[in-house]
């Protein structure tokens, strides 16, 4: 249970953005909705980040991986269940622990995970070569920005979840 009370579903109905929300509104979003100004800015960003270049499997793999690195059990467990469902592989989370050797992840996704690991755990160690590898995998500069934002956005939501007691 979060450390502050999430906004009630009924309270959200008065917001302009309400018609665009998945129903029922998840507890994470209802926590952010305690500040309507932030919530109104947050939801379009969330949609834009999720609509990036990566497939659903790739996106969820990155979200689960980053959530694990950040120690966000709420996000790791929720998105981990979704990743298992999407992949059809009940062992996918264990395989993610050894992603560099796993055959469950294509090389381009492994390169994204290497980039994510550095960005989350030791951003000062990132080098131009890390971006170059993604470009060599066929991602455009625009798509590299989208990948970067997915990783950064996930870290932000992990910190939000942890910081509010999820």
């Amino acid at each position: 249970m979060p450390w502050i009370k999430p906004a009630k579903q009924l309270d959200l109905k008065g917001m302009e953005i309400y018609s665009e929300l998945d129903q029922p509104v998840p507890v994470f979003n209802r926590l952010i909705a305690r500040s309507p100004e932030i919530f109104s800015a947050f939801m379009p960003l969330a949609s834009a980040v999720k609509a990036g270049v990566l497939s659903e499997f790739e996106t969820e793999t990155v979200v689960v991986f980053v959530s694990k690195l950040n120690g966000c059990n709420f996000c790791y467990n929720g998105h981990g269940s979704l990743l298992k469902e999407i992949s059809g592989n009940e062992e996918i989370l264990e395989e993610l622990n050894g992603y560099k050797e796993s055959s469950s992840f294509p090389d381009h996704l492994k390169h994204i995970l290497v980039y994510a690991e550095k960005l989350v755990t030791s951003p000062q160690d990132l080098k131009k070569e890390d971006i170059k590898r993604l470009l060599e995998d066929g991602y455009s500069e625009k798509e590299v920005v989208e990948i970067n934002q997915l990783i950064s956005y996930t870290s932000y939501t992990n910190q939000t979840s942890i910081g509010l007691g999820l």
Side-chain angles (χ1 to χ4, degrees):
M1 193 64 184
W3 298 328
I4 63 170
K5 291 181 183 174
K8 294 179 180 176
Q9 299 281 347
L10 186 62
D11 296 338
L12 299 175
K13 288 185 178 182
M15 295 182 172
E16 271 185 49
I17 199 167
Y18 181 76
S19 64
E20 300 170 31
L21 302 175
D22 291 335
Q23 302 298 326
V25 178
V27 67
F28 174 84
N29 291 349
R30 291 188 298 120
L31 282 172
I32 295 173
R34 293 301 260 165
S35 174
E37 299 80 13
I38 291 175
F39 186 64
S40 292
F42 173 81
M43 291 311 297
L45 174 63
S47 294
V49 168
K50 291 175 185 174
V53 64
L54 300 181
S55 70
E56 186 179 22
F57 169 74
E58 294 165 334
T59 296
E60 288 303 319
T61 298
V62 170
V63 169
V64 169
F65 184 70
V66 170
S67 297
K68 179 178 172 135
L69 292 174
N70 283 320
C72 184
N73 293 328
F74 178 79
C75 297
Y76 177 79
N77 292 331
H79 287 277
S81 294
L82 182 56
L83 181 58
K84 287 180 188 180
E85 182 181 320
I86 291 167
S87 69
N89 180 352
E90 284 296 315
E91 307 302 318
I92 195 81
L93 300 182
E94 290 78 22
E95 290 186 38
L96 196 52
N97 292 329
Y99 72 91
K100 290 178 183 175
E101 293 80 33
S102 175
S103 61
S104 293
F105 309 104
D107 285 344
H108 72 274
L109 183 53
K110 290 177 183 180
H111 297 158
I112 291 170
L113 296 176
V114 167
Y115 176 74
E117 190 165 12
K118 284 185 180 181
L119 185 57
V120 171
T121 65
S122 56
Q124 70 280 1
D125 292 338
L126 278 170
K127 306 281 185 251
K128 185 176 184 176
E129 290 75 28
D130 296 302
I131 296 294
K132 186 177 176 187
R133 181 179 291 135
L134 298 176
L135 294 169
E136 289 170 354
D137 283 336
Y139 293 108
S140 68
E141 289 182 352
K142 172 188 180 287
E143 292 167 336
V144 170
V145 169
E146 291 173 2
I147 292 165
N148 170 275
Q149 288 302 289
L150 174 63
I151 296 162
S152 300
Y153 166 85
T154 302
S155 287
Y156 166 77
T157 58
N158 291 162
Q159 291 173 354
T160 299
S161 296
I162 294 167
L164 296 177
L166 286 177

